[in-house]
Amino acid sequence: MDTSQVRKLLDPQFGKIGKSSGEQLWAHHFASYTVVRAFAQRVPNLSDRERLWLELSALTHDIGKMREEWQRKILTHPESLPPHKPEQEETEEYLLKHADGLGLTADDRKAVWDITRTHHYVSKSDLQQASIDRLGFLVYLFMRADHIASMDQPNLDYLAELNDFYNDRGVAFTAFEFSRFPSPTSYLVLHQALKAYKEAGWDILTVCEAGTIFIGTPKTPLPEKDQLTESISDEFLKQSLRFQKPDARNFTKDLLSGMSVEHPLAYLETHGAEIKDDLGDAIKKPLLFLKLCKELLDKNNQITDKILREFPVLDILRS
């Protein structure tokens, strides 16, 4: 499905509450859809039609919550919510109206309903009444994907259970966690982790407040811990140095202070474009050049008496 079709399926759900936390129904369905889509692409022996059924199930499995009674109860009595399992007619009507561009057959719509009505539990009678042969396998995948999409933080025990089932099928799961509360620093760490895992060959299933869950193969390597730690440290340094803007107009104010004194090369790399522009300015160029020379040499104890005797011109940097 393309983005416009996904949007068309989700449009009627805007403004409807999906969970007692206040999460919007469309947001939960879209989260489930992104997980199901990534999950299904990795699982072998799924047909294109089965993948479509799973994606449609993700976008519609809780449409029973759109009922007026359920919406009223979630606001007034969330402890006693009515059932929300969608009826077959309800699901088929929704798909006829909002998925009309996908060329769905009656069998397709029935298959989606078979998956959505059993996404919490599959009984023996459900399997007997199903219109699709592999209902149990498809529902197992969908239930796991829906659970992952609802996680507030990675559940490593749950992922271990999934690995036990799917590793022999060429699919593996892993997670990156951090214990720090959400903050700019947390998101910096997360950004670097996402980059490292994606470069290693992992796909993102979902991003939680305290980490991320990935999907790959049993042979997909994990990022090297030391390299990941170093990349996080380098990015933290880079972002911190961004706040120390070079000022070529004030010769009495230090360019290098704090972290930039210890990491002058990182400072120059961070502000390279600005410094090059200023060095190309006829007015700023002399001051900035002398200022950089003075601080890079002096603050690293490079302007010694011996050096000054050999290169007396450098004494101008101290004047």
Side-chain angles (χ1 to χ4, degrees):
M1 280 187 290
D2 59 27
T3 304
S4 62
Q5 185 60 66
V6 173
R7 175 63 186 264
K8 186 175 181 180
L9 279 158
L10 292 177
D11 265 346
Q13 303 168 24
F14 287 4
K16 305 293 185 182
I17 298 174
K19 292 184 179 293
S20 57
S21 63
E23 182 182 19
Q24 294 284 294
L25 180 60
W26 74 265
H28 170 63
H29 277 168
F30 185 69
S32 296
Y33 165 76
T34 58
V35 175
V36 163
R37 185 178 174 86
F39 201 156
Q41 286 175 346
R42 288 280 188 171
V43 176
N45 302 323
L46 280 178
S47 69
D48 290 342
R49 218 62 195 165
E50 287 173 327
R51 289 189 174 92
L52 179 61
W53 296 342
L54 287 167
E55 290 177 13
L56 290 169
S57 297
L59 294 168
T60 61
H61 64 278
D62 279 339
I63 57 171
K65 293 180 178 180
M66 296 173 65
R67 298 169 190 151
E68 185 178 339
E69 181 188 9
W70 200 94
Q71 288 293 308
R72 184 175 64 253
K73 285 278 190 177
I74 192 66
L75 293 173
T76 58
H77 298 90
E79 72 286 351
S80 58
L81 294 171
H84 65 273
K85 181 183 292 188
E87 300 293 339
Q88 181 176 355
E89 182 180 348
E90 196 172 15
T91 298
E92 293 195 358
E93 182 180 340
Y94 193 92
L95 293 174
L96 280 168
K97 188 173 182 180
H98 304 293
D100 52 310
L102 294 176
L104 300 179
T105 65
D107 288 342
D108 289 328
R109 293 189 291 272
K110 175 64 163 55
V112 172
W113 180 68
D114 277 336
I115 295 172
T116 58
R117 71 186 174 89
T118 55
H119 78 276
H120 286 303
Y121 175 75
V122 185
S123 67
K124 192 171 182 179
S125 62
D126 288 330
L127 295 175
Q128 292 171 343
Q129 297 171 23
S131 60
I132 48 181
D133 294 333
R134 300 205 298 168
L135 178 65
F137 182 78
L138 295 175
V139 171
Y140 184 88
L141 188 157
F142 181 76
M143 289 171 67
R144 271 55 190 171
D146 188 44
H147 190 169
I148 289 172
S150 299
M151 286 183 181
D152 294 325
Q153 62 184 43
N155 184 325
L156 300 185
D157 290 337
Y158 192 77
L159 296 184
E161 176 189 327
L162 289 181
N163 279 324
D164 287 341
F165 183 82
Y166 281 107
N167 276 181
D168 290 342
R169 294 168 171 82
V171 182
F173 301 85
T174 191
F176 174 82
E177 288 187 288
F178 51 86
S179 57
R180 183 180 173 86
F181 54 86
S183 68
T185 303
S186 299
Y187 295 126
L188 183 149
V189 171
L190 181 60
H191 175 76
Q192 291 304 111
L194 293 180
K195 181 179 176 181
Y197 276 85
K198 288 171 72 175
E199 289 176 351
W202 294 94
D203 291 331
I204 299 170
L205 273 185
T206 188
V207 178
C208 313
E209 286 189 1
T212 303
I213 298 172
F214 301 93
I215 187 170
T217 73
K219 294 183 178 180
T220 307
L222 293 172
E224 291 291 336
K225 183 176 180 181
D226 290 344
Q227 292 180 3
L228 178 55
T229 302
E230 184 178 351
S231 73
I232 292 171
S233 177
D234 289 346
E235 186 65 17
F236 179 79
L237 173 63
K238 181 180 177 180
Q239 295 299 330
S240 298
L241 291 174
R242 286 189 186 279
F243 294 101
Q244 292 184 233
K245 298 288 186 181
D247 185 0
R249 296 166 298 180
N250 189 343
F251 197 74
T252 61
K253 181 181 178 182
D254 287 344
L255 274 176
L256 305 179
S257 61
M259 296 178 72
S260 60
V261 175
E262 299 178 16
H263 305 278
L265 180 58
Y267 177 84
L268 293 177
E269 290 175 345
T270 300
H271 296 288
E274 298 164 79
I275 291 172
K276 287 177 182 177
D277 285 345
D278 287 344
L279 288 174
D281 187 293
I283 297 176
K284 297 178 181 178
K285 175 167 56 177
L287 287 177
L288 180 59
F289 177 75
L290 291 174
K291 193 172 180 62
L292 280 173
C293 288
K294 173 182 182 298
E295 294 194 29
L296 289 172
L297 295 172
D298 199 20
K299 293 199 174 188
N300 286 280
N301 298 316
Q302 297 296 312
I303 306 181
T304 63
D305 291 338
K306 180 182 177 181
I307 292 293
L308 285 176
R309 284 195 296 271
E310 294 182 25
F311 305 99
V313 70
L314 294 179
D315 198 40
I316 191 175
L317 299 179
R318 286 183 166 178
S319 62

